[in-house]
Amino acid sequence: MSRAKADEDDYWNSSKFTLAFTFDEEDDDYTRLKESKKAVNSISALADEDDDDDDVEKVSWSGEPVGSISWSVKETASKLRPAGDSRELGFPKISASPSLPKNNSVYSLSSLFKGTAQYSTLDTPARHYAPELRKPKCEYKDYISNWSPQETILKMQQGKDKMLLLDKAVDGHDGNIITAVGLPHFPHRHQNHLFDFIDVLFRELVGRETALRHYIHYLKESGEQKVLLDLFRSELLQYKHHLTITDENKRRDFLKTCLGLPFSPEDSLHVQDHYTLLERQIIIEENDKQVERTGQSDVFKRFPRKASILNMPLITTLYYSCFYHYSEPEGTYSSPANIRRTFKLAEKQYFLTALAARAKLKAWTDVDSLFTTRNWLGFTKKKSPVAFQRVLDILHKNNAPVQVLEVYVNLLEDLELKINMAHKFKCHDVIINTYRDTKDKKQLLGYQKKFDMSSAEHKKIADVLNNSQIRWKN
Amino acid sequence: MSPHATRRVFTSKGQTDGCSPPLSLIPMAQSIRRDSPELPDFSLLKRLARDQLIYLLEQLPGRKDLFIDADLMSPLDRIANVSTLKQHEVDKLYKVEYKPIVSTSDQLCFLIRPRLQSVKWICDVVNADKAAGKFRRYKLIFTPQKFYACENVLEEQGIFGDVTTDEWGFHLLPLDDDIISLELPEFFRDYFLDGNQRWVRTAGCVLHLLHSLYGPFSKVYGIGRCSKMAYESWREQVEEGEQKGRDGEIGSVFLFDRDVDYVTPMCSQVVYEGLVDDIFRIKCGCVEFGPEVTSSDKSLKVMLNSQDKVFNQIRNEHFSNVFGFLSQKAKNLQTAYDKRCGMDIKQIKTFVSEELKGLKQEHRLLSLHIGASESMMKKKTKQEFQELLKTEHSLLEGFDIRECITFIEEHINRQCSMIESLRLLCLLSLTENGLLSKDYKSMKAQYLQSYGVDHLPTFANLKQLGILVEQPTGETLTAMENKVGKLVNDRAAGKLTDAFSSLAKKSHFRALSRRLNLVPKSDEEYDLRVPKDMAYIFSGAYVPLSCKLIEQVLERDGWTGLEEVTRLLNGQEFAASGCSEADGKARSDTQRTILVMFLGGCTFSEISALRFLGKEKGYKFIIVTTAITNSARLIEALLDNRA
């Protein structure tokens, strides 16, 4: 069974999906809710008479309950900011050399495997009055309890057992340990060493995917993107690096270097498009900034740009160009036609974007000509790659006048839909004409009641009703 | 498709007459066989966490400033307050913001999740102090546990000797009577995308904790690789002879991996609590209603749980039922207040002392939820919610897929919500077992054009997870099979991600749907006021796969008879008898108390469905989840378009 458009009414009315809820202003639910709101609000005077608000949580201006931790944190933060002192304090630059030389660090491998070793060294009176019950239950057993620390170190020093240890860790399903076991062999600052390690890992890769993934995650989390990049030469990771470059020219140049990366054929096209787009955005931006500053163009004066076009998606760029550069010849980078052709945009994409941009500007003639096609005999016809209902939606959201909406309401083929839309947008002529065409006197009479005796609509309906040529069906 | 031509859509009887009884009076199910058992008291978990924290704070005697990870603030608020902290000599509270600090205290305490970024920041703080010749004591409290990787950073930065570290085992936060959260949203991405198992042991600890407090469990069922590992991790932690002969408060346990069912969390939520979460985002059991809801100039934070009497009655209801309920409530309230009019002094006195407080409370809650409903309706009109739902339902049913694709395409072309577009694409892929190659390529291209090529890595993530994929052609299949083998020899190639993605799950939604009858027949009426099955949470269009599996396994007391289903779900199911045998009648209540643990998150809709199932079958479900999730959170966790 295929649910054709004609079945739609059925679908919405009575199918098992007695589901959804409509939200038109006239909707019962909506009205009911409004009534309830009114009712509830009307009692508020009553309820506020008494002052005992003890059942109401005390909240601060920010809405946080007073006394809550979030509230208190905000309090400290606001107190801390003395007026006028908003400059960011940077960390003082100090020499990177750690205070404790690594080779005699207190942090030995054995402590690595003895998770409990560093538990509170401060023996304080506090301990005595803290009942034993409140002590955190130390669930930490030695993970590799079968081995003494010495044994463990020995095993780790004998490189050949690395993998054994790793496998044991993986069997234990504890990611913390998997990473820890690998860490000493994980000299992420010394690449040669790292390659050795990865070499081993790769050779043993089958069945060790889990461990490998932990290392990748570790490198990612510690921000060692560069190592990862070099290591796996992952094209996507490399490409992602562009996000950290703020200067648009440098970013463009970086994207250019990405073009040579071994992307899949389709992704490689996307990256190429990205590069081309940014290249053009830079040109457009420079030019438009100039135009805006010198006040040469009317549209920039009427609608000052809210943001730069740099790094915006392609469709946003097209919208921008339809907004500010609509009538430009195809030869310029900023013209919509040029963008459409360069990036091979589909008709629908172009159409929806242009429609939204021109409607926003209330350029109704441009809107109209978007739909107009001429056949070889020279007749014009209105055509749209999307449903006219969607078109109406967009126009209505942009506050199109009734005269404009009317044109497209008339193009709706489904009679019922047409009437509904006409009611929604108050296209009186369409409604009157439709009732006339369907010879529905009853509806027409009902509709007439909505208007003043003196109004044009009232008169028009009267004229139709008086027309003796029409054979009313009711 | 016409949202405006749809007129009245909700047509069930009794809706329009205005005098229908309040919902609370209508039993959810026609026949309730047994009463559901009482829930165990989970406030114990809060007390334990608080006492542990106090103990840890006392380990650093004297006045100290406390720095708290941003995402720990709300959970902390649920178990302690400022005065608790002050009593234990905490002076000032700060949020961890990765900026230099301004504290003057000579003792600093950091309450953080075990993240390298936070530890690196603390190292910066300590090193800055050193450079300035300032001496302080530092204490790092990791919760729920510390990772070696964090300590490794301390060592690398040369400050291991300058700080003390501790662990605060704050594993579980009860959000409501029947919801307990680990508050670990990163669990999902860490495990399912990056393949990192560091939280697996945490999950094991959680089981261990619940088992020692409320066990022993009689049966453990589960499905998914992570569930299996969590189960094993827990078993390792259980000591021999532990709690013999005790009466447990929890019967069976069901462990569930999120990747077994991605379809359900990708659907729009239409049950009240879920809808509130989708629109306003409930954080840690608390929602912030903006001025548009409170009809005042300030926002209000509101706790949403069973303590809120109004909310408790509507949370599990389909949204279309909520209006009727609220208006009836408003009328009742009016009547109750009106009673005052004809009263004498004495009666008014009684009224004020006995009823007024309750009425005022109800009044406050009622106006909040009415405001919220109103605001949700407005928001949903904007997004053409009806069309969206219709598309979702068609996808679930497998009808008019072309029309759905057109809808999604236009959604993308018009640059509607970036998350929503991705969600629809995922739902399409999940239900259709992948997109046709040409559709995939074209949709991906259009998406990148509308929302930025920066999303290329996002698509790689979705592919890796198997939730937005191209249907494999015969050729690519063999290539995939060779890939893992090839890797061993081909170390230079950056093909790791591809190899992993070949391990991603394949969706067999249609077959599962047929076998488990997830999509009810479309010619049947579905009265949402008297739901007949769990499908009501999706307007009668779809029974959530996750909950259906749980129902089936409980009914069959195992996986017998579900072989075909588990095969379609890529296996990994298990069932194990617990440590103790049930000794007959006394424990029958316990047997009907079932703990469901979602690894990777669950949605409010799923919780509502399980509550419904519980009422139907006389079970009481306790939901344990790594975090509350929804479609937006799932997708946001997979976005990769930021530096």
Side-chain angles (χ1 to χ4, degrees):
Chain A
M1 173 197 131
S2 126
R3 214 182 265 135
K5 276 222 185 289
D7 295 333
E8 232 168 52
D9 291 342
D10 212 34
Y11 173 88
W12 288 109
N13 275 327
S14 61
S15 78
K16 63 168 181 152
F17 303 108
T18 45
L19 57 117
F21 11 98
T22 45
F23 303 109
D24 292 316
E25 290 281 328
E26 307 89 275
D27 188 321
D28 283 1
D29 284 335
Y30 198 77
T31 335
R32 188 135 37 123
L33 203 63
K34 285 219 152 136
E35 277 167 14
S36 326
K37 200 181 176 187
K38 234 182 267 166
V40 170
N41 286 343
S42 71
I43 18 185
S44 46
L46 263 169
D48 291 341
E49 276 167 29
D50 309 86
D51 285 328
D52 66 322
D53 272 341
D54 49 357
D55 57 327
V56 181
E57 245 185 329
K58 286 209 168 45
V59 291
S60 72
W61 55 271
S62 65
E64 301 279 357
V66 171
S68 80
I69 286 158
S70 329
W71 169 79
S72 174
V73 168
K74 276 185 194 157
E75 286 290 289
T76 5
S78 58
K79 275 185 203 137
L80 277 172
R81 240 157 256 144
D85 185 13
S86 58
R87 86 201 141 88
E88 297 262 300
L89 295 160
F91 281 111
K93 284 272 174 286
I94 52 162
S95 78
S97 67
S99 62
L100 290 169
K102 253 190 185 172
N103 46 4
N104 47 17
S105 158
V106 292
Y107 188 44
S108 67
L109 270 179
S110 69
S111 69
L112 179 74
F113 289 105
K114 287 275 189 186
T116 55
Q118 318 84 19
Y119 260 102
S120 166
T121 46
L122 295 165
D123 201 10
T124 65
R127 246 199 175 161
H128 300 298
Y129 60 84
E132 218 38 34
L133 183 133
R134 289 159 57 192
K135 197 170 172 177
K137 187 176 174 197
C138 178
E139 288 155 330
Y140 271 68
K141 290 181 277 177
D142 282 344
Y143 290 105
I144 306 167
S145 48
N146 297 343
W147 302 326
S148 72
Q150 288 78 10
E151 273 177 299
T152 310
I153 295 166
L154 204 68
K155 277 180 189 293
M156 294 189 109
Q157 281 164 347
Q158 301 162 347
K160 60 180 183 223
D161 278 336
K162 276 178 202 172
M163 288 301 151
L164 199 69
L165 205 54
L166 209 51
D167 290 343
K168 261 223 136 13
V170 171
D171 287 345
H173 311 314
D174 187 339
N176 182 24
I177 306 297
I178 299 173
T179 310
V181 170
L183 269 178
H185 315 296
F186 233 29
H188 52 264
R189 296 242 159 71
H190 310 291
Q191 299 211 3
N192 292 338
H193 199 153
L194 183 60
F195 277 115
D196 286 348
F197 173 68
I198 295 298
D199 206 28
V200 178
L201 203 57
F202 266 88
R203 234 181 293 130
E204 312 274 339
L205 186 66
V206 183
R208 290 203 176 88
E209 184 214 328
T210 306
L212 188 59
R213 292 184 73 158
H214 279 80
Y215 301 147
I216 295 173
H217 187 271
Y218 174 79
L219 289 176
K220 270 194 207 162
E221 201 192 345
S222 39
E224 300 284 347
Q225 307 282 3
K226 176 111 190 6
V227 181
L228 263 182
L229 280 181
D230 293 345
L231 190 58
F232 300 110
R233 280 173 224 142
S234 160
E235 59 280 359
L236 277 173
L237 214 57
Q238 182 115 15
Y239 163 78
K240 224 187 125 180
H241 181 68
H242 83 265
L243 292 164
T244 60
I245 307 173
T246 43
D247 179 87
E248 65 267 18
N249 288 309
K250 285 194 184 131
R251 192 188 270 216
R252 178 199 55 204
D253 296 343
F254 179 83
L255 283 173
K256 196 171 185 182
T257 66
C258 289
L259 297 179
L261 297 173
F263 285 106
S264 68
E266 46 163 326
D267 282 1
S268 134
L269 283 178
H270 294 314
V271 176
Q272 171 75 54
D273 276 357
H274 192 177
Y275 166 71
T276 317
L277 180 64
L278 183 58
E279 197 184 26
R280 301 208 167 180
Q281 283 173 340
I282 291 173
I283 297 169
I284 298 172
E285 178 67 22
E286 203 160 308
N287 179 59
D288 287 4
K289 242 199 287 190
Q290 178 73 16
V291 173
E292 196 178 23
R293 206 180 317 120
T294 52
Q296 293 163 7
S297 160
D298 190 41
V299 66
F300 284 101
K301 262 188 271 174
R302 279 200 298 144
F303 303 95
R305 302 187 315 152
K306 287 193 190 96
S308 114
I309 193 61
L310 294 172
N311 299 317
M312 292 294 165
L314 175 59
I315 294 295
T316 312
T317 313
L318 177 65
Y319 182 89
Y320 176 94
S321 111
C322 287
F323 198 91
Y324 290 111
H325 303 276
Y326 196 58
S327 48
E328 275 172 25
E330 204 182 320
T332 62
Y333 274 162
S334 48
S335 78
N338 191 307
I339 292 175
R340 181 182 180 176
R341 190 173 36 95
T342 309
F343 298 98
K344 299 191 186 69
L345 287 172
E347 190 193 2
K348 209 182 341 189
Q349 286 176 296
Y350 176 78
F351 179 87
L352 282 167
T353 313
L355 178 65
R358 299 321 287 171
K360 183 91 191 165
L361 279 167
K362 314 216 179 300
W364 307 121
T365 32
D366 291 341
V367 167
D368 190 60
S369 56
L370 270 173
F371 297 92
T372 312
T373 51
R374 228 171 264 278
N375 68 12
W376 57 278
L377 283 173
F379 294 119
T380 61
K381 203 186 156 204
K382 290 241 180 307
K383 250 180 72 184
S384 160
V386 297
F388 277 110
Q389 208 201 321
R390 173 85 65 227
V391 171
L392 280 164
D393 246 19
I394 296 171
L395 293 175
H396 179 60
K397 276 189 186 132
N398 285 295
N399 302 315
V402 176
Q403 302 88 291
V404 173
L405 291 171
E406 232 170 40
V407 177
Y408 304 98
V409 173
N410 265 323
L411 290 168
L412 292 169
E413 278 170 20
D414 183 316
L415 213 60
E416 213 175 330
L417 181 66
K418 190 168 166 181
I419 286 283
N420 279 328
M421 290 280 128
H423 274 291
K424 187 177 171 194
F425 302 133
K426 308 203 168 41
C427 306
H428 306 305
D429 281 352
V430 178
I431 296 171
I432 295 168
N433 292 342
T434 312
Y435 286 148
R436 182 195 62 204
D437 296 347
T438 52
K439 306 183 175 31
D440 199 334
K441 193 173 180 178
K442 223 173 174 178
Q443 290 280 6
L444 207 50
L445 278 166
Y447 198 63
Q448 196 181 26
K449 292 196 185 96
K450 289 190 174 181
F451 300 100
D452 270 355
M453 293 290 275
S454 57
S455 68
E457 285 81 9
H458 197 279
K459 187 174 176 304
K460 183 171 177 182
I461 296 174
D463 287 349
V464 173
L465 288 171
N466 289 335
N467 187 338
S468 54
Q469 305 272 304
I470 303 170
R471 302 179 69 191
W472 300 103
K473 72 172 179 191
N474 50 22
Chain B
M1 290 193 290
S2 64
H4 307 293
T6 50
R7 296 168 315 266
R8 292 277 304 135
V9 166
F10 186 82
T11 54
S12 69
K13 314 117 214 155
Q15 250 286 306
T16 43
D17 59 11
C19 55
S20 46
L23 285 175
S24 54
L25 302 179
I26 304 172
M28 286 281 276
Q30 297 297 28
S31 57
I32 292 178
R33 264 159 266 163
R34 302 177 272 198
D35 283 341
S36 304
E38 290 288 305
L39 283 164
D41 175 20
F42 292 116
S43 60
L44 177 61
L45 293 168
K46 290 190 189 183
R47 281 208 304 281
L48 276 177
R50 184 174 50 234
D51 289 351
Q52 261 193 42
L53 178 64
I54 291 169
Y55 174 82
L56 290 169
L57 289 174
E58 284 170 356
Q59 299 294 298
L60 189 66
R63 293 170 75 78
K64 56 210 158 245
D65 281 358
L66 184 63
F67 290 79
I68 308 168
D69 239 345
D71 45 3
L72 279 175
M73 291 197 337
S74 300
L76 192 57
D77 252 334
R78 299 288 165 274
I79 59 153
N81 53 29
V82 178
S83 58
T84 326
L85 299 178
K86 296 269 177 200
Q87 274 165 28
H88 299 278
E89 296 178 281
V90 169
D91 199 9
K92 289 204 181 69
L93 291 169
Y94 300 91
K95 186 162 84 174
V96 170
E97 286 178 304
Y98 308 112
K99 283 194 270 187
I101 60 162
V102 282
S103 164
T104 52
S105 176
D106 57 4
Q107 300 203 89
L108 305 182
C109 193
F110 300 90
L111 199 54
I112 51 172
R113 288 267 183 238
R115 296 190 188 117
L116 298 190
Q117 195 196 7
S118 316
V119 180
K120 279 185 175 164
W121 168 73
I122 293 169
C123 291
D124 286 344
V125 169
V126 176
N127 281 325
D129 282 352
K130 275 189 194 172
K134 203 183 277 176
F135 175 78
R136 303 197 228 226
R137 268 181 215 275
Y138 311 92
K139 186 179 190 67
L140 278 59
I141 301 174
F142 293 99
T143 188
Q145 68 174 103
K146 83 182 143 193
F147 290 139
Y148 291 129
C150 295
E151 298 187 313
N152 194 54
V153 172
L154 293 175
E155 194 198 12
E156 270 178 19
Q157 302 282 320
I159 65 155
F160 193 82
D162 303 306
V163 302
T164 53
T165 58
D166 244 319
E167 267 176 349
W168 177 32
F170 182 26
H171 285 108
L172 290 171
L173 175 70
L175 291 177
D176 207 341
D177 300 341
D178 59 350
I179 311 175
I180 307 173
S181 169
L182 276 73
E183 292 296 305
L184 281 177
E186 61 257 61
F187 188 105
F188 175 67
R189 184 172 166 129
D190 280 354
Y191 177 78
F192 291 103
L193 185 67
D194 291 338
N196 191 306
Q197 299 171 5
R198 59 187 181 182
W199 300 116
V200 171
R201 193 183 158 83
T202 315
C205 287
V206 161
L207 282 173
H208 184 54
L209 182 64
L210 290 167
H211 184 251
S212 31
L213 292 175
Y214 306 102
F217 309 144
S218 56
K219 273 251 165 120
V220 181
Y221 313 102
I223 183 158
R225 205 167 149 247
C226 189
S227 292
K228 229 177 197 168
M229 291 193 288
Y231 170 76
E232 282 167 19
S233 169
W234 163 56
R235 292 310 303 161
E236 274 167 30
Q237 294 173 51
V238 176
E239 275 154 43
E240 279 305 312
E242 206 171 297
Q243 40 170 274
K244 269 229 165 85
R246 220 185 74 186
D247 269 357
E249 291 175 83
I250 294 172
S252 308
V253 172
F254 198 107
L255 302 174
F256 191 90
D257 274 22
R258 185 68 275 171
D259 68 351
V260 172
D261 175 15
Y262 281 130
V263 172
T264 305
M266 285 298 164
C267 296
S268 288
Q269 304 195 70
V270 285
V271 163
Y272 187 73
E273 190 168 13
L275 194 54
V276 171
D277 189 37
D278 273 0
I279 293 182
F280 299 104
R281 297 239 177 173
I282 301 174
K283 277 185 212 131
C284 214
C286 183
V287 73
E288 182 164 0
F289 285 133
E292 80 276 15
V293 173
T294 58
S295 6
S296 65
D297 51 359
K298 63 173 190 189
S299 296
L300 193 62
K301 286 202 176 167
V302 189
M303 295 292 298
L304 290 181
N305 55 36
S306 55
Q307 303 296 309
D308 177 338
K309 294 288 175 288
V310 175
F311 176 70
N312 201 33
Q313 281 169 299
I314 53 176
R315 69 195 309 188
N316 299 313
E317 290 294 330
H318 190 272
F319 191 54
S320 58
N321 283 350
V322 170
F323 309 118
F325 176 79
L326 289 178
S327 62
Q328 187 59 43
K329 268 271 185 198
K331 274 181 206 148
N332 294 350
L333 192 65
Q334 182 87 62
T335 320
Y337 272 118
D338 288 349
K339 263 195 346 201
R340 275 191 355 164
C341 294
M343 285 180 183
D344 58 31
I345 299 280
K346 203 179 156 209
Q347 283 170 318
I348 286 190
K349 237 181 178 169
T350 339
F351 175 80
V352 169
S353 63
E354 283 169 12
E355 285 181 58
L356 192 58
K357 195 172 166 176
L359 289 178
K360 276 170 65 180
Q361 172 85 0
E362 195 178 326
H363 177 231
R364 191 175 70 96
L365 294 170
L366 201 53
S367 39
L368 259 181
H369 290 294
I370 289 176
S373 303
E374 201 181 30
S375 153
M376 289 198 283
M377 290 213 310
K378 277 189 199 147
K379 287 213 171 95
K380 285 301 183 190
T381 333
K382 271 190 203 150
Q383 294 171 16
E384 289 132 4
F385 195 43
Q386 300 254 351
E387 279 181 272
L388 208 70
L389 285 182
K390 192 185 163 194
T391 304
E392 277 176 37
H393 293 166
S394 299
L395 288 175
L396 290 166
E397 223 179 335
F399 276 127
D400 286 343
I401 297 303
R402 272 294 130 199
E403 209 171 294
C404 293
I405 291 179
T406 309
F407 177 82
I408 301 172
E409 225 169 39
E410 283 178 19
H411 202 269
I412 294 170
N413 293 161
R414 291 160 60 215
Q415 295 185 301
C416 302
S417 150
M418 156 191 115
I419 300 281
E420 203 92 288
S421 292
L422 217 43
R423 176 174 75 84
L424 290 170
L425 283 176
C426 291
L427 200 57
L428 172 67
S429 171
L430 286 165
T431 51
E432 288 287 289
N433 196 11
L435 276 67
L436 293 176
S437 188
K438 74 168 174 42
D439 287 334
Y440 179 83
K441 291 199 171 79
S442 136
M443 298 293 246
K444 179 174 167 183
Q446 293 183 57
Y447 191 92
L448 297 176
Q449 287 165 344
S450 276
Y451 305 103
V453 186
D454 304 346
H455 277 289
L456 265 182
T458 305
F459 275 84
N461 288 347
L462 295 169
K463 191 174 193 174
Q464 188 178 322
L465 215 61
I467 62 175
L468 179 50
V469 295
E470 216 174 321
Q471 278 173 14
T473 56
E475 197 184 328
T476 42
L477 258 182
T478 21
M480 289 266 216
E481 277 157 17
N482 289 332
K483 216 158 258 172
V484 180
K486 237 203 228 154
L487 255 176
V488 187
N489 313 318
D490 192 3
R491 74 166 246 218
K495 296 294 179 216
L496 280 165
T497 11
D498 283 2
F500 295 146
S501 75
S502 72
L503 303 166
K505 304 212 163 191
K506 288 183 192 69
S507 154
H508 297 285
F509 182 73
R510 294 270 172 262
L512 282 166
S513 166
R514 262 196 307 277
R515 204 152 270 275
L516 291 169
N517 202 13
L518 299 181
V519 177
K521 289 201 182 65
S522 43
D523 48 4
E524 288 166 24
E525 280 275 331
Y526 200 102
D527 186 354
L528 290 169
R529 290 167 64 79
V530 193
K532 56 172 186 275
D533 55 26
M534 292 187 280
Y536 94 93
I537 66 157
F538 291 122
S539 311
Y542 163 61
V543 182
L545 170 60
S546 50
C547 305
K548 184 73 177 186
L549 277 175
I550 294 165
E551 177 206 272
Q552 287 295 308
V553 169
L554 291 177
E555 207 161 83
R556 293 157 195 266
D557 191 17
W559 295 94
T560 328
L562 294 171
E563 291 80 6
E564 177 65 11
V565 171
T566 54
R567 195 185 59 76
L568 291 167
L569 289 168
N570 305 305
Q572 306 285 353
E573 79 282 5
F574 62 95
S577 282
C579 354
S580 69
E581 285 302 309
D583 53 2
K585 56 211 179 302
R587 290 174 48 83
S588 67
D589 252 16
T590 305
Q591 290 314 305
R592 287 184 285 117
T593 305
I594 291 144
L595 188 144
V596 182
M597 182 166 175
F598 286 90
L599 296 156
C602 80
T603 64
F604 279 120
S605 291
E606 287 172 308
I607 296 176
S608 289
L610 288 176
R611 285 182 184 138
F612 174 83
L613 184 66
K615 276 195 193 140
E616 283 276 274
K617 311 260 165 150
Y619 295 128
K620 198 78 198 181
F621 285 101
I622 299 155
I623 315 297
V624 178
T625 180
T626 51
I628 295 287
T629 195
N630 61 21
S631 56
R633 290 193 195 101
L634 274 189
I635 289 187
E636 278 161 14
L638 301 169
L639 291 184
D640 233 338
N641 62 329
R642 295 273 154 76

